[in-house]
Coordinates of all heavy atoms in Angstrom, one line a residue:
P1 N 147.2 142.6 138.9 CA 145.9 142.2 139.4 C 145.9 140.7 139.5 O 146.6 139.9 138.8 CB 145.0 142.6 138.2 CG 145.9 142.8 137.0 CD 147.2 143.3 137.6
D2 N 145.1 140.2 140.5 CA 145.1 138.8 140.8 C 144.1 138.1 139.8 O 142.9 138.2 140.0 CB 144.7 138.5 142.2 CG 144.7 137.1 142.6 OD1 145.2 136.3 141.8 OD2 144.2 136.7 143.7
T3 N 144.6 137.5 138.7 CA 143.8 136.8 137.8 C 143.6 135.3 138.1 O 142.9 134.6 137.4 CB 144.3 137.0 136.3 OG1 145.7 136.4 136.3 CG2 144.4 138.4 136.0
G4 N 144.4 134.8 139.0 CA 144.3 133.4 139.4 C 145.1 132.5 138.6 O 145.1 131.2 138.9
D5 N 145.8 132.9 137.6 CA 146.6 132.0 136.7 C 148.0 131.9 137.3 O 148.3 132.5 138.3 CB 146.6 132.5 135.3 CG 147.2 133.9 135.2 OD1 147.8 134.4 136.1 OD2 147.0 134.5 134.1
E6 N 148.8 131.1 136.6 CA 150.1 130.8 137.1 C 151.0 132.0 137.1 O 151.8 132.2 138.1 CB 150.8 129.7 136.2 CG 150.2 128.3 136.3 CD 149.0 128.2 135.4 OE1 148.5 129.2 134.8 OE2 148.4 127.1 135.4
V7 N 150.9 132.9 136.1 CA 151.7 134.1 136.1 C 151.4 135.0 137.2 O 152.2 135.6 137.9 CB 151.6 134.8 134.7 CG1 152.4 136.1 134.7 CG2 152.1 133.9 133.6
S8 N 150.0 135.1 137.5 CA 149.6 135.9 138.6 C 150.1 135.4 139.9 O 150.6 136.2 140.8 CB 148.1 136.0 138.6 OG 147.6 136.7 139.8
R9 N 150.1 134.1 140.1 CA 150.6 133.5 141.3 C 152.1 133.7 141.4 O 152.7 134.0 142.5 CB 150.3 132.0 141.4 CG 148.8 131.7 141.6 CD 148.6 130.3 142.1 NE 149.0 129.3 141.1 CZ 148.3 128.8 140.1 NH1 147.0 129.3 140.0 NH2 148.7 127.9 139.3
L10 N 152.8 133.7 140.3 CA 154.3 133.9 140.3 C 154.5 135.4 140.7 O 155.4 135.6 141.5 CB 154.8 133.7 138.9 CG 156.3 134.0 138.7 CD1 157.2 133.2 139.6 CD2 156.7 133.8 137.3
A11 N 153.7 136.3 140.1 CA 153.9 137.7 140.5 C 153.6 138.0 142.0 O 154.4 138.7 142.7 CB 153.0 138.6 139.6
T12 N 152.6 137.3 142.5 CA 152.3 137.5 143.9 C 153.4 136.9 144.8 O 153.8 137.5 145.8 CB 150.9 136.8 144.2 OG1 149.9 137.3 143.4 CG2 150.6 136.9 145.7
T13 N 153.9 135.7 144.4 CA 155.0 135.1 145.1 C 156.2 136.0 145.1 O 157.0 136.2 146.1 CB 155.3 133.7 144.6 OG1 154.2 132.9 144.6 CG2 156.4 133.1 145.4
F14 N 156.5 136.6 143.9 CA 157.6 137.5 143.8 C 157.5 138.7 144.7 O 158.4 139.1 145.4 CB 157.7 138.0 142.3 CG 159.0 138.8 142.0 CD1 160.2 138.1 141.7 CD2 158.9 140.1 141.9 CE1 161.3 138.8 141.4 CE2 160.0 140.9 141.6 CZ 161.3 140.2 141.4
D15 N 156.3 139.3 144.7 CA 156.0 140.5 145.7 C 156.2 140.0 147.1 O 156.8 140.8 147.9 CB 154.6 141.0 145.4 CG 154.5 141.9 144.2 OD1 155.6 142.3 143.7 OD2 153.4 142.1 143.7
E16 N 155.7 138.8 147.5 CA 155.9 138.4 148.8 C 157.4 138.2 149.2 O 157.8 138.4 150.3 CB 155.1 137.1 149.0 CG 153.6 137.3 149.0 CD 152.8 136.0 149.0 OE1 153.5 134.9 148.9 OE2 151.6 136.0 149.1
M17 N 158.1 137.6 148.2 CA 159.5 137.4 148.4 C 160.2 138.8 148.6 O 161.1 138.9 149.5 CB 160.1 136.7 147.2 CG 161.6 136.5 147.3 SD 162.4 136.0 145.8 CE 162.2 137.5 144.8
L18 N 159.9 139.8 147.8 CA 160.5 141.1 148.0 C 160.1 141.7 149.4 O 161.0 142.3 150.0 CB 160.0 142.0 146.9 CG 160.5 141.8 145.5 CD1 159.9 142.7 144.5 CD2 162.0 141.9 145.4
T19 N 158.9 141.4 149.8 CA 158.5 141.9 151.1 C 159.3 141.3 152.2 O 159.8 142.0 153.1 CB 157.0 141.7 151.4 OG1 156.2 142.3 150.3 CG2 156.6 142.2 152.7
R20 N 159.5 140.0 152.1 CA 160.3 139.3 153.1 C 161.8 139.8 153.1 O 162.4 139.9 154.1 CB 160.3 137.7 152.9 CG 158.9 137.1 153.2 CD 159.0 135.6 153.2 NE 159.5 135.0 152.0 CZ 158.7 134.7 151.0 NH1 157.4 134.8 151.1 NH2 159.2 134.1 149.9
L21 N 162.3 139.9 151.8 CA 163.7 140.4 151.7 C 163.8 141.8 152.3 O 164.8 142.1 153.0 CB 164.1 140.4 150.3 CG 164.4 139.0 149.6 CD1 164.7 139.2 148.1 CD2 165.5 138.3 150.3
D22 N 162.8 142.7 152.0 CA 162.9 144.0 152.5 C 162.8 144.0 154.0 O 163.6 144.8 154.7 CB 161.7 144.8 151.9 CG 161.8 146.3 152.1 OD1 162.9 146.8 152.5 OD2 160.8 147.0 152.0
S23 N 161.9 143.2 154.5 CA 161.8 143.1 156.0 C 163.1 142.6 156.6 O 163.6 143.1 157.6 CB 160.6 142.2 156.4 OG 160.5 142.1 157.8
G24 N 163.7 141.6 156.0 CA 164.9 141.0 156.5 C 166.1 142.0 156.5 O 166.8 142.1 157.4
F25 N 166.2 142.7 155.3 CA 167.3 143.7 155.2 C 167.1 144.9 156.3 O 168.0 145.4 156.9 CB 167.3 144.3 153.8 CG 168.2 143.5 152.9 CD1 167.6 142.6 152.0 CD2 169.6 143.7 153.0 CE1 168.4 141.9 151.2 CE2 170.4 142.9 152.1 CZ 169.8 142.0 151.2
Q26 N 165.8 145.3 156.4 CA 165.5 146.3 157.4 C 165.9 145.8 158.8 O 166.5 146.6 159.6 CB 164.1 146.7 157.4 CG 163.7 147.5 156.1 CD 162.2 147.9 156.1 OE1 161.5 147.6 157.0 NE2 161.8 148.6 155.0
R27 N 165.6 144.6 159.1 CA 165.9 144.0 160.4 C 167.5 144.0 160.6 O 168.0 144.3 161.7 CB 165.3 142.6 160.6 CG 163.9 142.6 160.9 CD 163.4 141.3 161.5 NE 163.8 140.2 160.6 CZ 163.1 139.7 159.6 NH1 161.9 140.2 159.4 NH2 163.5 138.6 158.9
E28 N 168.1 143.6 159.5 CA 169.6 143.5 159.6 C 170.2 144.9 159.8 O 171.1 145.1 160.6 CB 170.2 142.9 158.4 CG 169.9 141.4 158.3 CD 170.3 140.6 159.5 OE1 171.4 140.9 160.0 OE2 169.6 139.7 160.0
R29 N 169.6 145.9 159.0 CA 170.1 147.3 159.2 C 169.9 147.8 160.6 O 170.7 148.4 161.2 CB 169.5 148.2 158.2 CG 169.8 147.9 156.7 CD 169.3 149.0 155.8 NE 169.5 148.7 154.4 CZ 168.5 148.3 153.7 NH1 167.3 148.1 154.2 NH2 168.7 148.0 152.4
Q30 N 168.7 147.5 161.1 CA 168.3 147.9 162.5 C 169.2 147.2 163.5 O 169.7 147.8 164.5 CB 166.9 147.6 162.8 CG 166.4 148.1 164.1 CD 166.4 149.7 164.2 OE1 166.1 150.3 163.2 NE2 166.8 150.2 165.3

């Protein structure tokens, strides 16, 4: 959940990074 604190922002950034990595790997596989 987005609580607005530093850990929440870190978790959000981590999820965004995973999304970018997932998208990048999918593009490479494709």
Side-chain angles (χ1 to χ4, degrees):
D2 186 8
T3 58
D5 58 12
E6 292 80 358
V7 176
S8 175
R9 291 198 296 272
L10 174 62
T12 301
T13 304
F14 188 79
D15 284 344
E16 292 173 351
M17 179 192 70
L18 290 178
T19 300
R20 291 194 299 272
L21 288 175
D22 192 14
S23 177
F25 273 100
Q26 288 181 2
R27 288 197 303 270
E28 292 303 319
R29 293 192 190 100
Q30 186 64 39

